[in-house]
Amino acid sequence: MSLLSAISSLTADDELAFLFSRKTSSMPMPTLANGPELRAYISLQLIGLIGCLVIFVTGFFSESALRHTAWFSFMFSWVLSTLSYLLLFISGRLENAPFGLCLIQSALMYAAPTLTAATTLAFVTQIFFKLHNSLGPRERGGRLIWLMLVGPYVLHATIATETIIIGLEDDNTLYQSGMGGYCYLKNAVPSQTSTVTVMVLMIPTVVLGAWTCVLLTRNWSSKKLVNYPVSTTIRVLVFSALSMIANTITIMYMSAKGRSHRPYVVVSLIPIAAILAFGTQKDIIS
């Protein structure tokens, strides 16, 4: 009988007590729970969380730093991503995390890359249409951009829900890493779903990024771009390129035989790149 069937007969309070008192399996790993990889992982994610949160709040309350909704969605997605990776640390359960907490953390962690990849695509799309509309005779892309603002969170919820269902149906598939910083499923479906989704989202991001570069290069001296935020566009494109490189490295590691902590350390560098790209603009730091 699956864990999902076992808890279906319990009351709501009993279900919570059962899930959060149940122990999670721990695989023997060469890296200890206080090792250098864990310290790097937590430190980088903490810097990313604090930095992205400060930038988001500054942009929200600043009267001079006017930003599109796609920008706020993008920054918020990185706040949510870093929180997902830090959940065990924040809860103080880097070792022997209860089943319920571990399952929630793994669900959020598998869903996070699709969320940030989708909000990056939405941001790049908004930048592309802003440039295209500055050069063209009429406004385009408004409805598409608003649709893309909702889509990332639908994807996030879908993959998180899928992970939770798989974990409840087979409780033996959920493990806490030997490093201690995160939980994962031995069942490859959530990881594969997240990986494929990110790869699919990377394709239009690359195409629109390249198209934006071409338009910007061809019209560099155009009077129509006098009030266009060229520096912001360059920052978005550079960050998108770095993000795609990091995601590619992560996918390569996760596709290799054996389980390594390195991809999670690499992923921790991406929100810091976001801080450097969007937290150093004059209207944000002034």
Side-chain angles (χ1 to χ4, degrees), residues 63-239:
E63 296 181 356
S64 59
L66 301 178
R67 294 292 187 273
H68 190 274
T69 308
W71 182 91
F72 285 105
S73 177
F74 171 80
M75 294 307 307
F76 178 75
S77 71
W78 286 107
V79 172
L80 186 57
S81 174
T82 51
L83 279 173
S84 301
Y85 286 99
L86 287 170
L87 187 58
L88 297 189
F89 170 75
I90 293 172
S91 63
R93 301 303 297 267
L94 289 175
E95 297 183 49
N96 301 318
F99 182 89
L101 177 65
C102 211
L103 182 59
I104 291 172
Q105 195 271 341
S106 64
L108 293 175
M109 188 184 73
Y110 284 123
T114 61
L115 174 64
T116 53
T119 57
T120 299
L121 173 58
F123 197 8
V124 170
T125 302
Q126 184 266 323
I127 289 293
F128 167 77
F129 278 110
K130 184 176 181 64
L131 175 59
H132 187 276
N133 293 336
S134 297
L135 299 170
R138 59 177 180 172
E139 295 285 324
R140 291 182 178 180
R143 292 182 180 178
L144 176 61
I145 293 172
W146 282 108
L147 178 63
M148 294 181 71
L149 291 176
V150 178
Y153 299 93
V154 174
L155 278 175
H156 182 269
T158 301
I159 293 179
T161 302
E162 174 196 52
T163 304
I164 290 174
I165 291 174
I166 291 174
L168 290 176
E169 288 183 339
D170 181 9
D171 56 316
N172 292 320
T173 194
L174 183 66
Y175 286 83
Q176 183 172 4
S177 74
M179 185 177 77
Y182 61 90
C183 296
Y184 65 94
L185 270 63
K186 289 189 71 176
N187 187 313
V189 172
S191 177
Q192 291 173 349
T193 303
S194 180
T195 298
V196 170
T197 304
V198 169
M199 292 178 68
V200 170
L201 291 170
M202 284 171 60
I203 296 172
T205 303
V206 171
V207 172
L208 286 175
W211 197 349
T212 302
C213 288
V214 171
L215 287 176
L216 197 59
T217 302
R218 289 180 177 177
N219 299 276
W220 188 262
S221 58
S222 174
K223 293 181 180 180
K224 294 181 179 180
L225 298 182
V226 172
N227 296 319
Y228 180 79
V230 175
S231 64
T232 298
T233 301
I234 295 174
R235 290 170 187 264
V236 173
L237 296 177
V238 170
F239 172 81

Side-chain angles (χ1 to χ4, degrees), residues 258-273:
R259 180 165 291 274
S260 171
H261 304 311
R262 292 188 180 91
Y264 300 99
V265 177
V266 172
V267 166
S268 303
L269 294 170
I270 307 179
I272 295 179

